[in-house]
Amino acid sequence: MSTYLGIDWGGTYIKAGVIDSKGKILAKKVYSSSKLREKEFFISEIVSLLASFKKYKVKAIGIGAPGIINIEKGFIYYLPNILGWKKFPLKKSLEKKVKIPVSVDNDANVFALAEARLGAGKNLSRAIFLTLGTGLGSSVIFDQQILRRKTSALELGHFPISLKKNRCGCGNYGCIETFVGNSYLVKRYNKLVKKERSERSERSPERPTGERSRTIKGVEGVKDIYQRGLKGEKNAICIWKEFSFYLGRFLAGMVNIFNPQAIILGGGVSGAYKLFRPYLISVIKEQAMWPNLEGLKLRKAKLKNAGIIGAGLLAKESLVVRKD
Ligand SMILES: [Zn+2]
């Protein structure tokens, strides 16, 4: 039985797993360290990981990395959130040490590969995959293959959607990513809450402090905005409506371009799927051209370890490509 090592690398954490050729995880290790941002340390960790999985006789390694990558060469152009990884030949450097084939791809592509083969996108020939988290990762499956360019992912997250001066990590402003990322949502929610508090105190300045302290407080994470939205709290609902407005308009454009059978949403922010789904559907319906909406499905990602499984499948499928 052939096995593959899949590495989901988030900069400061590694989620690694050995998978079989059907994508089943046989063994798994998860750990975090800020030292994983350093090249030498990262490479030596992969070498020891492989050694610890020796009994599985791993055939190839796949890595999903958070950045812009040349997949043919396994060359990292840069990782926006990890300094020091500019123009680095990861595949070449690692293959020298491990002596088995290594493949590197963008993490959103790896996620899409897993969901397309085994999860919410199974048996679909055209689908859009988004990872909603700190940023907006994206990948498109067309004819069951990941649509690639030289720089690995399609980077739909940097599609300019607004003239508002929301600064983006890419150096530009107004990208869709800056309206749906988790830190933006938290900041925006806390701003709404602050506004409501000051309006209330202006209306009734004589209110006793005890009563005022019972007013609504800010949040630290998107999960809280979801929980409050479930209870019907108006600022939280407003956030999910705004989120759906931006994401829906963006997706309507993507639907008109790619005419997908499904849009599949993963990542931390998709935890609020139940709440924003109806708003998002109505914006997409309103904005997209109607023939493109026929049969279109909106789905939440299914797999628990899509990053590991997808990276393992990347290793496996890269071997098949090499044989041709
Ligand atoms: Zn951008």
Side-chain angles (χ1 to χ4, degrees):
M1 183 186 58
S2 299
T3 62
Y4 309 90
L5 177 58
I7 312 266
D8 175 2
W9 176 41
T12 54
Y13 68 80
I14 277 183
K15 294 178 188 170
V18 176
I19 66 156
D20 67 13
S21 52
K22 286 185 176 154
K24 189 181 160 212
I25 296 181
L26 306 172
K28 198 176 111 180
K29 269 185 193 169
V30 177
Y31 57 93
S32 63
S33 160
S34 57
K35 280 186 84 182
L36 286 167
R37 291 169 173 269
E38 295 164 22
K39 286 181 201 137
E40 287 73 27
F41 186 80
F42 176 77
I43 288 174
S44 71
E45 281 302 282
I46 303 295
V47 174
S48 17
L49 255 174
L50 187 67
S52 72
F53 290 132
K54 201 177 164 194
K55 70 169 183 178
Y56 294 101
K57 297 193 174 74
V58 168
K59 262 183 117 174
I61 301 175
I63 301 173
I68 320 294
I69 290 135
N70 179 319
I71 182 169
E72 276 170 34
K73 295 180 181 159
F75 182 88
I76 294 187
Y77 289 111
Y78 67 97
L79 309 176
N81 299 313
I82 310 169
L83 296 173
W85 280 80
K86 252 184 198 157
K87 297 185 181 171
F88 183 68
L90 179 58
K91 173 185 164 69
K92 214 167 134 190
S93 311
L94 201 52
E95 279 181 349
K96 249 187 231 165
K97 305 256 179 187
V98 295
K99 317 281 183 209
I100 55 172
V102 175
S103 306
V104 189
D105 202 349
N106 171 272
D107 49 6
N109 277 351
V110 159
F111 158 79
L113 191 59
E115 287 291 337
R117 299 289 183 257
L118 304 163
K122 206 175 165 185
N123 301 325
L124 296 179
S125 72
R126 297 185 317 280
I128 295 174
F129 299 79
L130 298 182
T131 51
L132 296 154
T134 316
L136 177 68
S138 63
S139 185
V140 174
I141 296 274
F142 216 80
D143 288 340
Q144 298 197 319
Q145 296 299 321
I146 290 177
L147 211 52
R148 294 184 193 284
R149 310 166 306 155
K150 189 175 145 207
T151 52
S152 71
L154 290 185
E155 299 299 341
L156 302 182
H158 299 287
F159 193 89
I161 191 102
S162 169
L163 290 173
K164 283 188 186 167
K165 299 274 177 187
N166 288 18
R167 267 280 160 216
C168 183
C170 72
N172 216 318
Y173 65 86
C175 301
I176 176 65
E177 176 168 303
T178 64
F179 292 91
V180 295
N182 54 19
S183 55
Y184 170 77
L185 297 175
V186 168
K187 220 166 93 187
R188 175 86 183 120
Y189 176 82
N190 288 339
K191 208 171 155 187
L192 288 182
V193 165
K194 206 173 156 193
K195 198 174 151 220
E196 190 190 331
R197 267 203 305 258
S198 71
E199 278 170 4
R200 273 198 208 176
S201 63
E202 268 170 32
R203 273 202 307 269
S204 49
E206 73 288 351
R207 192 190 289 197
T209 43
E211 197 176 323
R212 202 179 301 162
S213 67
R214 259 184 267 134
T215 56
I216 192 152
K217 288 195 175 95
V219 294
E220 282 180 11
V222 162
K223 226 178 181 176
D224 299 326
I225 312 176
Y226 172 58
Q227 296 295 345
R228 291 184 185 185
L230 283 181
K231 288 178 195 151
E233 197 264 306
K234 73 169 191 191
N235 292 313
I237 297 287
C238 176
I239 288 297
W240 294 116
K241 280 187 177 169
E242 277 184 15
F243 167 87
S244 304
F245 171 77
Y246 286 112
L247 190 64
R249 282 174 61 82
F250 158 76
L251 277 172
M254 296 305 128
V255 164
N256 288 343
I257 294 171
F258 297 109
N259 186 208
Q261 294 158 292
I263 296 164
I264 291 149
L265 305 177
V269 180
S270 74
Y273 180 75
K274 204 171 109 185
L275 196 63
F276 66 67
R277 186 178 187 273
Y279 305 131
L280 187 59
I281 288 178
S282 84
V283 178
I284 296 172
K285 275 191 175 167
E286 209 178 287
Q287 291 281 327
M289 294 161 82
W290 66 263
N292 292 334
L293 291 168
E294 213 174 312
L296 175 68
K297 302 264 188 305
L298 186 65
R299 290 179 184 161
K300 196 175 170 211
K302 251 190 195 166
L303 302 175
K304 218 177 155 196
N305 292 298
I308 295 175
I309 297 167
L313 292 175
L314 170 76
K316 180 192 156 191
E317 295 189 12
S318 305
L319 286 187
V320 176
V321 172
R322 277 163 203 236
K323 273 181 200 159
D324 290 343

